[in-house]
């Protein structure tokens, strides 16, 4: 398909949301609402995309692979006016214009492809997506003449007639023959409400005998427009189900899909099993053969293969392969657990790296620390990293043994192979293989390593 430009209308006020942020910046499945119609359009293979935004929406993060050109609609004077703002950059640029309302997150690329192919095949002036029965109140009603040709669209709010019940609604996605559009759009007169409606183009086309085509969708939810928080919640539910189906098709097991929440930018590996009440959010990547949950929340984190995360909360954490976490751990930003690390119950870690095979089997706090390989962190180990003014680092060498209830008063270093006794309060560095005991801890010799393999 060539020579088709896309326009997304995103400059409306969104007053029905009652939000301090522009409607299309509100999050859905971990992304801005607007990213969904933009992605659908980009995947439909249009040659360029123009986004019509208001001044306060100009910071919208529309991350798709396509370059998107934004134009500003200074005043929200209606959907027709918004489209006219795009004419400045699109006039003479494309044969067909695919227009999408920005609040249509569920419309599928395959549907846009079908609409465009039909539009081109039928040589219509305009083709629109419709659904019946009406999926939501407050939409435009599609009116047909005695022969069944579409002759007008009347907004429910502007109609004095009683709700006819099973009416066909206007979905808010259109294909236009470009030259017809740019010629007729400036002629559209304001509606009774004072807004310039894009939908007025339908009666213009009908009046001129220019073809109006339509594609009736079997799945009306695809055309759910987001005007209220309730509609946002409904759309999010549908999108979450689509995301779950996608990952199940890719080989992920969900014990209870309804309580498994996955954001749109999450990636999951084959044969990973997700137990109930688990959320994988933001830009998280999870490897193969992992077990997540029950009751885990993983946000913006990287999880390798064969990891186990039970009833724990991870934010911006990185786990290499074979790491086991939980139940009841809090891994905060900057946590990096190397291969085979084991973190047991009630552990909190932030801004720290734990080396390969290190174990922190029980409760404790590790913050601003570098911990070597094969270290044992006993129950109740605490890095006292904050002196009330600044944060300080703790360094623990390979194969060190930190006794239960050790307080490591940072900045402090425990050398490789060193040990601390139970209850030690370590205020000075411990040399390699040294043994520190007591409060404050004294070096009492060399650690006797238990005989072992
Ligand atoms: C619109 C349609 C309606 C259709 C429904 C589908 C019109 C007049 N009505 O109604 O027939 O059934 O969508 O969901 O088009 N926008 C601007 N600038 C403006 C006004 C709106 O960019 O001045 C943008 C909004 O940000 C939004 C989109 O256009 O993304 C649609 O506007 P909205 O006010 O939500 O229209 P609806 O009342 O839902
Ligand atoms: Ca709308």
């Amino acid at each position: 398909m060539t020579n088709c430009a896309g326009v997304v209308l995103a400059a409306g006020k969104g007053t029905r949301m009652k939000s301090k942020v522009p409607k299309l910046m509100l999050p859905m499945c971990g992304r801005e609402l607007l990213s969904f119609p933009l992605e659908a359009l980009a995947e439909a293979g249009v040659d360029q995309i123009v986004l019509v935004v208001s001044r306060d929406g100009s910071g919208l993060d529309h991350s798709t692979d396509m370059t998107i050109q934004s134009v500003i609609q200074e005043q929200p004077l209606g959907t027709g006016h918004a489209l006219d703002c795009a004419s400045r950059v699109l006039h003479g640029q494309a044969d067909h214009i695919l227009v999408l309302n920005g609040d249509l997150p569920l419309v599928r690329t395959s549907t846009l492809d079908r609409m465009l192919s039909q539009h081109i095949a039928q040589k219509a002036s305009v083709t629109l997506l419709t659904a019946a029965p009406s999926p939501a109140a407050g939409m435009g009603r599609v009116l047909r003449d005695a022969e069944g040709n579409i002759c007008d669209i009347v907004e429910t709010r502007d109609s004095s007639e009683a709700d006819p019940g099973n009416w066909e609604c206007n979905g808010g996605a259109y294909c236009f023959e470009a030259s017809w559009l740019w010629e007729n759009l400036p002629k559209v007169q304001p509606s009774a409400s004072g807004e310039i409606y894009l939908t007025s183009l339908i009666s213009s086309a009908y009046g001129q005998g220019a073809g109006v085509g339509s594609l009736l969708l079997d799945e009306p939810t695809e055309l759910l427009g987001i005007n209220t928080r309730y509609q946002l919640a409904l759309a999010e539910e549908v999108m979450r189900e689509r995301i779950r189906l996608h990952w199940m098709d890719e080989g992920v097991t969900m014990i209870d899909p309804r309580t498994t929440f996955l954001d749109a930018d999450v990636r999951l590996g084959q044969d990973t099993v997700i137990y109930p009440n688990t959320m994988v959010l933001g830009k998280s990547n999870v490897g193969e053969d992992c077990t997540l949950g029950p009751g885990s929340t993983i946000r913006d984190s990287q999880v390798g293969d064969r990891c186990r995360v039970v009833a724990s909360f991870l934010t911006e954490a990185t786990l290499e392969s074979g790491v086991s976490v939980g139940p009841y751990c809090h891994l905060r930003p900057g946590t990096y657990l190397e291969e085979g690390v084991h973190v047991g119950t009630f552990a909190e870690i932030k801004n720290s790296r734990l080396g390969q095979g290190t174990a922190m089997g029980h409760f404790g706090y590790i913050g601003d620390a570098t911990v070597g390989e094969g270290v044992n962190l006993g129950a109740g180990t605490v890095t006292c990293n904050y002196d009330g003014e600044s944060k300080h680092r703790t360094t623990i060498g390979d194969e060190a043994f930190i006794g239960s209830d050790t307080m490591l008063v940072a900045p402090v270093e425990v050398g490789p192979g060193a040990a601390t006794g139970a209850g030690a309060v370590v205020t000075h560095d411990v040399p390699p293989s040294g043994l520190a005991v007591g409060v404050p801890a004294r070096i009492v010799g060399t650690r006797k390593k238990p005989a072992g393999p």
Side-chain angles (χ1 to χ4, degrees), residues 9-12 16 23-24 52 73 75-79 82 101-104 138-140 153 155 157 170-172 174 197-199 225 227:
L9 307 179
R16 289 165 278 187
K23 170 169 88 170
L24 299 177
V52 184
Q73 185 192 20
Q75 299 280 335
L77 301 177
T79 45
N101 284 356
D103 61 358
L104 281 186
M139 297 181 81
I153 293 177
E155 296 304 308
R157 60 178 170 269
N170 167 32
Y174 321 80
Y197 288 166
L198 165 54
T199 45
N227 303 314

Side-chain angles (χ1 to χ4, degrees), residues 128-354:
L128 50 138
L129 288 185
T130 68
S134 56
M139 297 181 81
R141 293 178 195 165
V142 176
L143 306 186
R144 291 181 185 264
D145 67 11
E147 272 93 58
N149 302 310
I150 293 179
C151 55
D152 203 359
I153 293 177
V154 178
E155 296 304 308
T156 314
R157 60 178 170 269
D158 298 338
S159 175
S160 50
E161 286 170 36
D163 189 333
N166 205 13
W167 43 273
E168 186 178 357
C169 66
N170 167 32
Y174 321 80
C175 280
F176 289 98
E177 201 267 300
S179 54
W180 184 88
L181 173 67
W182 303 134
E183 191 189 327
N184 286 280
L185 187 55
K187 299 181 194 161
V188 172
Q189 295 302 309
S191 68
S193 68
E195 284 189 27
I196 296 174
Y197 288 166
L198 165 54
T199 45
S200 300
L201 286 166
I202 304 303
S203 54
S204 314
Y206 181 75
Q208 295 168 19
V212 179
S214 70
L215 182 63
L216 178 73
L217 292 196
D218 305 332
E219 191 201 346
T221 45
E222 234 190 279
L223 296 181
L224 182 62
I226 312 302
N227 303 314
T228 63
R229 303 267 180 178
Y230 178 59
Q231 288 165 336
L232 178 64
L234 288 178
E236 180 143 9
E237 208 175 318
V238 174
M239 185 54 77
R240 289 206 182 279
E241 181 66 0
R242 286 189 192 169
I243 296 169
R244 285 190 289 258
L245 282 174
H246 169 80
W247 289 113
M248 286 191 267
D249 283 347
E250 293 295 310
V252 173
T253 292
M254 294 173 204
I255 304 299
D256 184 13
R258 286 165 312 158
T259 65
T260 302
F261 293 79
L262 306 171
D263 273 350
D265 292 323
V266 159
R267 300 284 172 267
L268 301 169
Q270 217 180 1
D271 290 315
T272 280
V273 179
I274 307 184
Y275 282 84
N277 295 317
T278 294
M279 309 180 93
V280 190
L281 306 174
K283 291 187 171 29
S284 293
N285 292 310
V286 176
E288 299 185 357
D289 303 302
C290 291
T291 303
L292 309 179
S296 288
T297 299
I298 298 170
R299 181 186 292 280
D300 295 323
S301 294
Q302 308 302 314
V303 177
D305 297 332
R306 300 180 311 284
C307 289
R308 179 181 154 273
V309 181
V310 183
S312 290
F313 200 95
L314 277 58
T315 305
E316 294 171 44
T318 304
L319 278 52
E320 289 185 356
S321 297
V323 170
S324 129
V325 175
Y328 315 120
C329 284
H330 188 187
L331 304 187
R332 293 167 49 201
T335 297
Y336 191 107
L337 306 182
E338 290 182 12
E339 190 171 346
V341 164
H342 166 63
V343 180
T345 311
F346 297 122
E348 176 176 340
I349 305 176
K350 77 120 212 210
N351 191 27
S352 295
R353 186 177 182 111
L354 271 58

